[in-house]
């Protein structure tokens, strides 16, 4: 490696690397030099181009590629597996009980996003957090006060009594008007998007085959979406059943998070509404495929985990086949899904949805 040329220079030349440009075919490019100036890519030139005035870094055959984008994260969750399910509602109440506890919660979130960055995630999208901490952390990272990836902050979400994350990371709306009011309340914390909890999840289900039971009435969904769109905010929705996907798309949701088995009608709705799917194979896989002695899942949660896992795969495959945009997210915070696990989602996308390694990298960047 050459020494720095000029201590004032912010220009860097990366030599002897294999470049993945981020294009759809992700063809590895050799014998090129990548030039940057500060945090901006200046250009890519053929080997032999002048590196005068640059700090030169020899990659010795390593790959250089765009940063990963994790589209579905709950920042406050560590993802470490537990033998017994935590009382999230009780934990959040404790962490927001006073200024000191809220500061501790913020420091915890700040520490959690560092592994995201160090594992290659340069942008993450938070979809349910503690009060306004996601947005505060976003702003502190943007101003250089903290180290972490770019954050698209969702802050608190909107659910209903008995709904997914109700009373912990989501407000509980009891009417369409209240759903819209909660959107207005969240908007005051300056989020980048609004998150709705439309159906239940694997651990919410009380019977087999009911992991994505519809919890939020269609009129609530419409009122929340109308209010969000009026404020220029896109809406993401937790959905794990075909009925939930239909209700979400028919009433204005922009991105379906997780997904479920999709028929022709659902695919038509995706196209008509210009909606996208965020695939999250990581959180369902441990429940569906791990031995219960490892996952500590009940027979009920394993059965329902399989339903969700197969539904996500089906929805992903059909969206891809029909030109519907698909993004990838880890749903970090769920058991076994930590903040350095984005690479696993790419592996699962390739393995279970049948896409090439190149396309998995393209989708994640």
């Amino acid at each position: 490696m050459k020494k720095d040329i000029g201590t004032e220079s912010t220009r860097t030349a990366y030599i002897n690397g294999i470049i993945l440009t981020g294009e759809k075919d992700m063809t590895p490019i050799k014998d090129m030099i990548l030039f940057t100036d500060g945090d901006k890519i200046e250009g890519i030139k053929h080997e032999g181009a002048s590196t005068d005035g640059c700090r030169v870094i020899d990659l010795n055959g390593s790959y250089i590629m765009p940063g990963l984008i994790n589209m579905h994260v709950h920042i406050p969750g560590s993802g470490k597996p537990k033998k017994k399910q935590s009382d999230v509602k009780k934990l959040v109440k404790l962490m927001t009980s006073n200024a000191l506890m809220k500061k501790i919660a913020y420091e915890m979130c700040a520490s959690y996003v560092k592994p995201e960055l160090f594992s290659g995630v340069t942008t993450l999208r938070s979809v349910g957090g503690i009060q306004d901490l996601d947005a505060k952390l976003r702003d502190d990272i943007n101003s250089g006060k903290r180290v972490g990836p770019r954050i698209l902050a969702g802050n608190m979400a909107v659910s209903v009594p008995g709904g997914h994350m109700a009373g912990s990371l989501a407000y509980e709306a009891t009417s369409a008007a209240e759903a819209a009011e909660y959107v207005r309340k969240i908007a005051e914390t300056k989020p980048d998007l609004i998150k709705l909890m439309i159906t239940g999840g694997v651990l919410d289900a009380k019977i087999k085959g009911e992991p994505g039971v519809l919890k939020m009435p269609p009129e609530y969904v419409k009122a929340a979406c109308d209010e969000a769109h009026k404020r220029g905010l896109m809406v993401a929705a937790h959905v794990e059943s075909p009925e939930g996907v239909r209700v979400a798309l028919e009433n204005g949701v922009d991105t379906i998070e997780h997904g479920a088995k999709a028929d022709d009608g659902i695919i038509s709705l995706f196209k008509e509404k210009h909606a996208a799917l965020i695939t999250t194979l990581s959180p369902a896989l441990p429940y569906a495929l791990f031995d219960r002695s490892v996952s500590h899942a009940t027979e009920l949660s394993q059965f329902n985990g399989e339903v969700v896992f197969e539904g996500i795969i089906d929805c992903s495959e059909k969206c891809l086949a029909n030109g519907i945009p698909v993004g990838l997210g880890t749903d970090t915070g769920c058991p076994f899904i930590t903040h350095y696990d984005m690479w696993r989602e790419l592996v699962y996308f390739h393995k279970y949805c049948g896409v090439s390694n190149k396309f998995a990298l393209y989708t994640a960047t």
Side-chain angles (χ1 to χ4, degrees):
M1 184 185 296
K2 295 182 182 178
K3 299 292 185 182
D4 288 2
I5 302 176
T7 55
E8 300 302 316
S9 176
T10 60
R11 298 181 68 236
T12 302
Y14 296 87
I15 65 172
N16 297 326
I18 302 171
I19 299 173
L20 299 175
T21 63
E23 294 176 355
K24 194 169 185 177
D25 64 0
M26 264 306 179
T27 302
I29 301 174
K30 297 181 179 180
D31 303 323
M32 304 293 282
I33 302 174
L34 178 74
F35 291 90
T36 64
D37 188 353
D39 60 357
K40 303 291 184 183
I41 294 175
E42 207 174 50
I44 299 174
K45 297 182 180 180
H46 286 284
E47 194 172 71
S50 173
T51 59
D52 290 348
C54 295
R55 179 170 66 116
V56 178
I57 295 178
D58 190 335
L59 295 174
N60 294 309
S62 297
Y63 285 84
I64 186 166
M65 58 178 277
L68 301 173
I69 302 171
N70 192 341
M71 292 287 287
H72 191 113
V73 178
H74 299 283
I75 294 175
S78 71
K80 292 180 180 178
K82 299 175 182 177
K83 291 184 179 180
K84 186 179 179 182
Q85 190 179 352
S86 301
D87 186 339
V88 181
K89 202 170 183 177
K90 186 176 180 180
L91 282 172
V92 171
K93 186 176 181 180
L94 173 64
M95 298 305 286
T96 56
S97 58
N98 56 56
L100 175 60
M101 292 305 296
K102 191 171 178 180
K103 179 174 174 54
I104 291 172
Y106 173 85
E107 293 297 334
M108 177 184 71
C109 290
S111 71
Y112 284 168
V113 298
K114 285 184 180 180
E116 293 272 358
L117 181 64
F118 298 158
S119 63
V121 173
T122 53
T123 302
L124 70 78
R125 179 171 168 262
S126 76
V127 283
I130 298 175
Q131 294 185 354
D132 61 348
L133 296 187
D134 292 356
K136 286 187 175 181
L137 183 55
R138 172 201 64 197
D139 294 345
D140 284 347
I141 290 171
N142 289 346
S143 66
K145 294 177 182 177
R146 295 283 176 165
V147 174
R150 288 179 293 269
I151 294 175
L152 296 174
N155 293 341
M156 289 286 284
V158 181
S159 188
V160 294
H164 195 57
M165 293 188 177
S168 58
L169 305 185
Y171 295 116
E172 300 174 89
T174 58
S175 67
E178 194 170 27
E181 179 57 36
Y182 278 131
V183 171
R184 288 191 286 273
K185 183 175 181 176
I186 296 165
E188 290 174 1
T189 65
K190 302 191 184 309
D192 297 295
L193 67 146
I194 296 295
K195 173 72 180 297
L196 305 182
M197 305 294 184
I198 292 179
T199 74
V202 170
L203 298 181
D204 301 318
K206 304 300 181 187
I207 62 173
K208 286 186 176 181
E210 195 191 59
V213 65
L214 185 66
K215 297 283 188 177
M216 184 176 286
E219 61 269 24
Y220 291 26
V221 179
K222 186 177 188 307
C225 289
D226 287 350
E227 187 64 35
H229 292 157
K230 187 169 70 177
R231 295 169 180 274
L233 295 168
M234 296 184 75
V235 180
H238 168 98
V239 183
E240 293 186 353
S241 68
E243 181 186 17
V245 174
R246 286 191 194 91
V247 167
L249 294 174
E250 287 172 349
N251 290 283
V253 166
D254 299 291
T255 62
I256 298 296
E257 312 291 313
H258 315 303
K261 288 193 173 181
D263 58 20
D264 291 343
I266 284 175
I267 294 302
S268 293
L269 278 170
F270 265 108
K271 292 179 177 179
E272 177 189 338
K273 303 295 184 178
H274 303 289
L277 173 70
I278 306 303
T279 293
T280 58
L281 293 164
S282 295
L285 186 143
Y287 288 100
L289 302 185
F290 284 13
D291 188 279
R292 296 213 310 274
S293 65
V294 175
S295 67
H296 304 294
T298 63
E299 183 184 357
L300 172 65
S301 59
Q302 184 176 58
F303 182 93
N304 287 327
E306 290 177 359
V307 172
V308 170
F309 187 58
E310 295 300 327
I312 291 172
I313 293 170
D314 181 81
C315 199
S316 299
E317 290 176 339
K318 287 175 180 172
C319 283
L320 290 171
N322 284 274
I324 294 161
V326 174
L328 300 180
T330 58
D331 205 1
T332 295
C334 292
F336 295 95
I337 316 303
T338 67
H339 283 282
Y340 53 80
D341 275 348
M342 182 61 185
W343 65 271
R344 294 183 190 273
E345 188 66 26
L346 275 72
V347 173
Y348 299 155
F349 192 49
H350 162 69
K351 182 174 181 178
Y352 296 104
C353 296
V355 304
S356 67
N357 288 329
K358 290 179 179 180
F359 188 80
L361 284 167
Y362 168 72
T363 302
T365 55

